[in-house]
Amino acid sequence: QQQVKQSPQSLIVQKGGIPIINCAYENTAFDYFPWYQQFPGKGPALLIAIRPDVSEKKEGRFTISFNKSAKQFSLHIMDSQPGDSATYFCAAGRNTGNQFYFGTGTSLTVIP
Amino acid sequence: NAGVTQTPKFRVLKTGQSMTLLCAQDMNHEYMYWYRQDPGMGLRLIHYSVGEGTTAKGEVPDGYNVSRLKKQNFLLGLESAAPSQTSVYFCASSSPRGAGSGELFFGEGSRLTVL
């Protein structure tokens, strides 16, 4: 059973567009929600993370929106660039625990 | 900065053969993890360790064994490889505080093919 559901599986946008990746979870015990970015041939790297006590967090061009009541969170990439082309994973876990559950990933392509 | 180093990077096995993947980290992290990444499945946790000499099962532990004899090393073993274990394997490490904030440091992966 997939603990974290992620969509879409793939996404193609023009440079400057705002791709949006959505994730949903069921376990209300989760209290930390990181996003990872993975380039081909590399391991995932932490991009940005949010706790459920805030509804939005921005870091540069990357924004996480969080809806606790709907148990959903999403990643927005403002003014997307070809260098943002990568696979993005959402994840969820407990900040007192040592396991995180990853979504299935979204392959993003930004066309110049 | 080495970070998390995995060896080997590529390996081809025949069904029934055994092998060990080695993960080494130089960040003095307490926690270490082994994940597998498959198309359409994301990253799934195989086993993890919260300290030297301790290991625990993750989401998909069957067919794998692990050992953490030294703090900096985490070994993943396949005793009798099966085609279903064809995957890309990632090792990760974190501090306890980092684990609580989702900050895992990943290696570059080991691509395993079982024929």
Side-chain angles (χ1 to χ4, degrees):
Chain A
Q1 181 181 359
Q2 195 72 30
Q3 296 272 357
V4 180
K5 296 182 179 179
Q6 182 173 348
S7 64
Q9 185 175 353
S10 63
L11 196 52
I12 301 173
V13 299
Q14 296 278 354
K15 177 183 175 182
I18 305 176
I20 300 173
I21 303 170
N22 300 300
C23 288
Y25 64 98
E26 287 296 326
N27 190 340
T28 55
F30 291 151
D31 52 15
Y32 215 87
F33 303 89
W35 285 86
Y36 279 78
Q37 180 188 55
Q38 182 181 30
F39 292 105
K42 301 295 184 181
L46 181 65
L47 183 64
I48 184 174
I50 195 169
R51 296 184 183 276
D53 54 349
V54 297
S55 60
E56 186 176 276
K57 182 176 181 179
K58 292 183 180 181
E59 284 189 7
R61 296 183 293 106
F62 299 91
T63 299
I64 301 178
S65 298
F66 188 85
N67 185 330
K68 187 174 182 178
S69 60
K71 292 184 286 187
Q72 295 175 349
F73 56 111
S74 60
L75 176 70
H76 298 63
I77 305 175
M78 306 301 177
D79 187 27
S80 59
Q81 302 296 313
D84 296 330
S85 297
T87 299
Y88 292 83
F89 292 96
C90 61
R94 300 195 63 187
N95 68 357
T96 55
N98 40 40
Q99 292 191 41
F100 279 89
Y101 297 93
F102 285 81
T104 51
T106 297
S107 176
L108 171 66
T109 302
V110 181
I111 300 172
Chain B
N1 294 333
V4 178
T5 303
Q6 295 181 227
T7 53
K9 295 192 185 310
F10 301 94
R11 183 75 186 269
V12 178
L13 289 178
K14 294 182 179 179
T15 297
Q17 287 185 319
S18 63
M19 75 157 295
T20 300
L21 296 176
L22 171 63
C23 177
Q25 52 96 2
D26 61 2
M27 296 173 282
N28 202 34
H29 283 163
E30 291 289 338
Y31 294 177
M32 296 187 74
Y33 315 79
W34 275 108
Y35 286 88
R36 60 178 289 173
Q37 183 176 18
D38 303 290
M41 301 293 289
L43 290 153
R44 292 180 292 168
L45 182 64
I46 304 171
H47 286 280
Y48 65 98
S49 167
V50 298
E52 183 178 323
T54 70
T55 63
K57 294 181 180 180
E59 300 172 80
V60 288
D62 294 343
Y64 304 94
N65 57 76
V66 288
S67 64
R68 182 99 181 268
L69 298 180
K70 293 182 179 181
K71 185 177 182 179
Q72 64 268 33
N73 295 337
F74 196 28
L75 279 63
L76 177 70
L78 286 71
E79 290 187 348
S80 180
S84 61
Q85 294 177 303
T86 293
S87 186
V88 181
Y89 292 86
F90 286 97
C91 176
S93 71
S94 70
S95 63
R97 181 176 180 179
S101 60
E103 188 174 23
L104 275 60
F105 292 86
F106 283 84
E108 295 197 336
S110 297
R111 183 176 294 276
L112 174 65
T113 301
V114 182
L115 302 176

